[in-house]
Amino acid sequence: MALATAGLTAPGVAGAAGTLPDGRVYERVTPNELDGQAFGSAQGIANDLIQWDYIGPHAPAQAGTGVVYRSTRTASGWTFKALNTPPSPRALDLTPSPTYNRALTAFWWRAEALSNPTDGDFWRSSLDGPPHRVGLAAVGGVFVDGGVAYAVSDDGRSAAFQTGTRLVPEDTHVDTNPPYTNGSEVYVYDEHDQPRMVGVRNDGTLIDTCGAWVPNWQGEAARFLASGDLSTLFFLSRSCDGPAHLYARRDLTRTVDVSPSRRSTPDPAGPQARTFVQGTPDGDKVLFETAEQLVDDDTNSHVDLYQYDLRHDTLTWVTDDASADYRGVVRAADDQSLVYFVVTGPFDGRGAVGRPNLFVRTAAGATRLVTTLDDSDSEVWTSREWGRQAEATPDGRRLVFASRAALVASDTDQKIDLYGYDAPTDTLKKLSAGNGDFDVLGAFSTHRVGESHYLSDDGEYGLFSTNEPLDVHDGNDAGDVYRWRWSDNSTALVSAGYGGQNPWFIPAAVPIGVSPDGKDLFIQTTVPIDDSDTNGQWDIYDARLDGGFPRETPRPSCDGDECQGRATAPPASQSPATSRAGGPGDGPAPTRATVSVGALSQAALRTAARTGRLTIKAKVNVPGTVTASARATLDGGSRSVARTSRRLARAGQAQLVLALSRQARTALRRKGRLALAVDVRLSAAPKSKTLRVTLTRPRSGGAR
């Protein structure tokens, strides 16, 4: 089903917040007829493609708690397709979310079993056919951390998952702490839809009595828990009262200890737990943490970072300075050729004493100091994958992270800023520098989900969100989305810059993700950026590089013989067609869109000065989106101090309320007067109207 292209912005046309950066154009991805809310999943992003969850019925045949759609960009517009239309309403459950394969051609999800509501089934979907029921995920509600697939094979036929239910007779794990938080097993549904245990020895018996579990269910970072073809699966196993040990199951036929000790004598403190950090796409390497001394040179008692190479059976002590206090991994290249980590105190003689120092280690074993962070930057190296304030390109050459520390001379505030590091050139940049005087970042969020990055694969483009106005077009106090670009170190507004409700912490827009090639910057917003956006729900837009589609021109309405038009002679020449209206059969000339603004009374100005909310009335002669923005001279420069918009389905009058920014209210209170230039625009009108007013502080103290 193709989306209507009439509402998509044509190339070269300004977006709602002014001209988008890089020559980008807004393209609306989600259809207007949705009567629920669209939720974009960053796991489902590729070039010209996004997969997103939809909450609410789109059509009676798809009534359920949620549907996954695949939107694909074509030459004429965005198309979308439901990937998991259920066989019955209660067969669909997208809580938790589905798991995709890496090519985004298939995914698995858990659904309520058709035979028993307390049981759960696994289903898989692909682009080629209807959803397929694979088999039981759990019995009697025993799911263990959701009972979802954590890895799907490249061909989509197999998936690995964890469950507390014993799906085969050989599964004899014990449940020492119901509801099954200690007892579970890892399984793979193979290409024949048969469950096969993972946490077993080479002879097929359980490694430990409490079974096995998947590392990410314990809260650690969890990238590449399995190879693409599921020939390597990493898992943890332990006796019910012992420390966890890290293993890999190869080809479902043999098990490898991937966290072995290579000390000449065992650690005097005894075995210590292992924590999975990251695998590789081919499953040949794994990073893990442990306090156990696994090599003779490791003489400290705190946690260290190790790497094991399955193909060559080699163990490497990554944080190989016994005097350094390891904090955690920040990010690593997919193949682990570059590993970023943080230690407290000097490492190999470099770094600040008693401070968190960020280092990078190369495949050759060399380490380099990147910078010294602030103690409050712990989310940069947190063990949680969700919410980690750091991103890296797949090759690890560029790292982007948030820090409260002033890491470059241009950073003169105490707020969180976004930084980027380029390993080949050993270059550190501040990426959250705004345009002109806008150079403060108040809040940073990558909204990271799964393994998808919020920067392009080459590290040229990235997204972040902030409540701070870093651009003259950002006129609200709510969260907006910005893009940064590495080559010219620029920051630009991507969302509309208005809408949202900051007092209730409702953002105007949030980032969803960046396509690998950087052409697609996906955001989610309730602001009707496009004229056709009338559903009032969260929608997905793409700030597309070299984007836009031709608009469709609707045919004028007619009745009877009027629809035939007047007969005309054949054209004398084959001149190119144009979009200009007129000529026989074209109907009446279109109405010229206009907008007018009424004068404000003294009472209205007094109310605005007292409350900080300026109400204006605009009259339009055609449907469209009316946008009002106010500017004032503050601190020697012209600043945007308020912005709002309203969608009108028909001609008439619109009442718009402009809430002045905190900076504008403060200036009015201190100086007693505030001159405003209010620009009112209609999306379909070629010209705007400007209203100039002056607010005077009341004797009682003015706006607060």
Side-chain angles (χ1 to χ4, degrees):
M1 178 178 181
L3 297 180
T5 59
L8 297 176
T9 309
V13 177
T19 303
L20 285 169
D22 321 316
R24 294 180 183 271
V25 170
Y26 287 125
E27 295 178 358
R28 189 170 173 214
V29 176
T30 46
N32 191 58
E33 56 265 37
L34 292 181
D35 53 4
Q37 296 192 20
F39 294 88
S41 170
Q43 281 184 307
I45 289 179
N47 296 335
D48 303 331
L49 182 148
I50 182 171
Q51 291 181 180
W52 43 280
D53 305 340
Y54 167 66
I55 308 301
H58 175 61
Q62 296 171 355
T65 59
V67 178
V68 173
Y69 285 94
R70 180 186 183 95
S71 289
T72 306
R73 190 180 190 275
T74 68
S76 58
W78 283 88
T79 64
F80 73 105
K81 172 185 178 182
L83 298 184
N84 62 336
T85 306
S88 76
R90 72 187 186 96
L92 180 60
D93 179 8
L94 290 181
T95 306
S97 297
T99 303
Y100 301 93
N101 65 350
R102 294 173 189 171
L104 301 180
T105 57
F107 70 92
W108 287 51
W109 82 95
R110 191 197 74 202
E112 180 181 301
L114 296 177
S115 58
N116 189 333
T118 65
D119 297 345
D121 287 339
F122 270 126
W123 293 73
R124 68 168 179 259
S125 292
S126 67
L127 303 180
D128 303 326
H132 170 74
R133 179 187 176 275
V134 178
L136 276 174
V139 175
V142 184
F143 288 109
V144 180
D145 296 292
V148 296
Y150 71 87
V152 176
S153 63
D154 291 339
D155 63 8
R157 298 283 301 174
S158 304
F161 63 101
Q162 175 183 339
T163 180
T165 297
R166 302 174 183 86
L167 298 181
V168 296
E170 295 79 15
D171 186 354
T172 58
H173 76 263
V174 298
D175 304 317
T176 61
N177 186 21
Y180 311 97
T181 54
N182 276 359
S184 63
E185 185 52 61
V186 179
Y187 282 87
V188 168
Y189 266 116
D190 63 20
E191 64 274 15
H192 304 295
D193 296 346
Q194 296 300 309
R196 301 179 63 178
M197 281 198 300
V198 172
V200 294
R201 305 180 189 277
N202 292 344
D203 61 4
T205 60
L206 289 178
I207 293 177
D208 285 308
T209 53
C210 272
W213 68 95
V214 184
N216 66 332
W217 300 147
Q218 308 305 310
E220 301 96 17
R223 299 192 67 231
F224 304 119
L225 281 160
S227 59
D229 57 3
L230 301 193
S231 62
T232 300
L233 299 145
F234 296 106
F235 66 94
L236 294 167
S237 186
R238 68 174 184 183
S239 59
C240 294
D241 56 355
H245 207 80
L246 184 62
Y247 297 91
R249 185 69 170 168
R250 302 277 262 184
D251 301 317
L252 290 177
T253 58
R254 58 191 178 93
T255 298
V256 180
D257 180 355
V258 296
S259 56
S261 174
R262 295 294 163 86
R263 281 179 59 91
S264 54
T265 59
D267 186 339
Q272 303 293 318
R274 273 67 161 163
T275 300
F276 176 92
V277 173
Q278 179 179 315
T280 55
D282 58 11
D284 284 345
K285 292 180 180 178
V286 60
L287 288 169
F288 67 94
E289 300 168 343
T290 183
E292 185 175 338
Q293 301 168 4
L294 300 183
V295 295
D296 290 333
D297 290 338
D298 185 355
T299 58
N300 62 47
S301 59
H302 54 245
V303 173
D304 276 296
L305 180 66
Y306 284 88
Q307 180 192 66
Y308 181 73
D309 187 323
L310 283 76
R311 184 173 296 276
H312 301 98
D313 187 28
T314 56
L315 181 71
T316 301
W317 182 25
V318 178
T319 51
D320 55 353
D321 185 340
S323 64
D325 186 4
Y326 166 74
R327 292 279 193 99
V329 166
V330 177
R331 288 294 173 197
D334 288 356
D335 62 0
Q336 300 181 15
S337 57
L338 291 169
V339 179
Y340 296 88
F341 61 91
V342 172
V343 298
T344 298
F347 183 87
D348 196 21
R350 292 161 296 166
V353 177
R355 299 284 303 281
N357 299 294
L358 173 61
F359 285 86
V360 59
R361 181 185 175 99
T362 68
T367 57
R368 180 192 304 158
L369 176 65
V370 175
T371 191
T372 298
L373 303 174
D374 190 86
D375 286 322
S376 63
D377 296 337
S378 58
E379 287 193 345
V380 172
W381 62 84
T382 180
S383 63
R384 293 177 294 104
E385 179 74 7
W386 183 275
R388 187 182 304 184
Q389 300 294 273
E391 303 283 351
T393 53
D395 59 12
R397 291 161 60 91
R398 284 186 180 162
L399 175 74
V400 177
F401 60 94
S403 177
R404 195 175 294 276
L407 304 183
V408 296
S410 62
D411 189 353
T412 58
D413 59 69
Q414 299 298 313
K415 295 185 178 181
I416 299 173
D417 280 290
L418 187 65
Y419 286 91
Y421 176 74
D422 184 74
T425 61
D426 191 26
T427 301
L428 182 68
K429 289 184 178 183
K430 179 185 174 186
L431 299 174
S432 55
N435 300 321
D437 295 329
F438 298 94
D439 59 358
V440 179
L441 182 64
F444 167 73
S445 176
T446 59
H447 291 268
R448 181 185 173 91
V449 180
E451 297 179 358
S452 295
H453 291 270
Y454 277 82
L455 66 159
S456 56
D457 280 359
D458 61 359
E460 174 67 4
Y461 295 104
L463 290 178
F464 66 92
S465 61
T466 178
N467 292 341
E468 293 284 341
L470 305 184
D471 189 283
V472 295
H473 299 293
D474 192 343
N476 59 16
D477 292 328
D480 277 292
V481 181
Y482 285 80
R483 83 96 178 94
W484 55 262
R485 185 167 64 187
W486 182 274
S487 58
D488 61 359
N489 203 28
S490 66
T491 301
L493 182 67
V494 173
S495 56
Y498 60 91
Q501 302 176 49
N502 190 54
W504 294 272
F505 302 102
I506 300 175
V510 294
I512 297 180
V514 180
S515 61
D517 61 8
K519 290 185 177 181
D520 304 294
L521 304 181
F522 293 106
I523 66 170
Q524 202 169 0
T525 180
T526 57
V527 175
I529 294 176
D530 188 87
D531 292 348
S532 69
D533 190 348
T534 59
N535 62 16
Q537 303 289 352
W538 284 96
D539 279 291
I540 300 173
Y541 284 85
D542 178 11
R544 169 77 181 191
L545 190 65
D546 299 324
F549 306 106
R551 290 183 180 271
E552 293 178 350
T553 302
R555 181 184 297 274
S557 59
C558 56
D559 293 311
D561 293 339
E562 294 179 2
C563 295
Q564 303 301 318
R566 291 186 298 172
T568 60
S573 63
Q574 299 297 321
S575 59
T578 71
S579 59
R580 184 181 302 276
D586 281 342
T591 302
R592 181 181 178 85
T594 61
V595 58
S596 60
V597 183
L600 297 179
S601 66
Q602 290 300 314
L605 294 176
R606 287 194 297 270
T607 299
R610 186 180 70 255
T611 64
R613 299 172 69 84
L614 179 66
T615 301
I616 63 175
K617 294 180 180 179
K619 187 176 182 180
V620 301
N621 65 339
V622 296
T625 300
V626 184
T627 302
S629 57
R631 301 186 65 81
T633 300
L634 301 174
D635 299 329
S638 178
R639 304 292 179 87
S640 175
V641 296
R643 191 181 182 101
T644 188
S645 68
R646 182 176 174 183
R647 167 71 182 173
L648 293 181
R650 60 182 64 88
Q653 184 172 274
Q655 181 171 290
L656 300 143
V657 180
L658 288 161
L660 298 180
S661 67
R662 182 171 56 251
Q663 187 179 17
R665 298 194 304 269
T666 300
L668 174 60
R669 185 169 60 250
R670 291 177 177 175
K671 297 181 179 180
R673 293 170 63 86
L674 182 68
L676 299 173
V678 182
D679 186 72
V680 181
R681 297 177 179 273
L682 174 64
S683 56
K687 295 183 179 180
S688 63
K689 294 292 183 181
T690 300
L691 182 69
R692 298 186 182 277
V693 299
T694 300
L695 304 183
T696 302
R697 181 185 64 192
R699 293 180 180 179
S700 58
R704 297 183 179 276

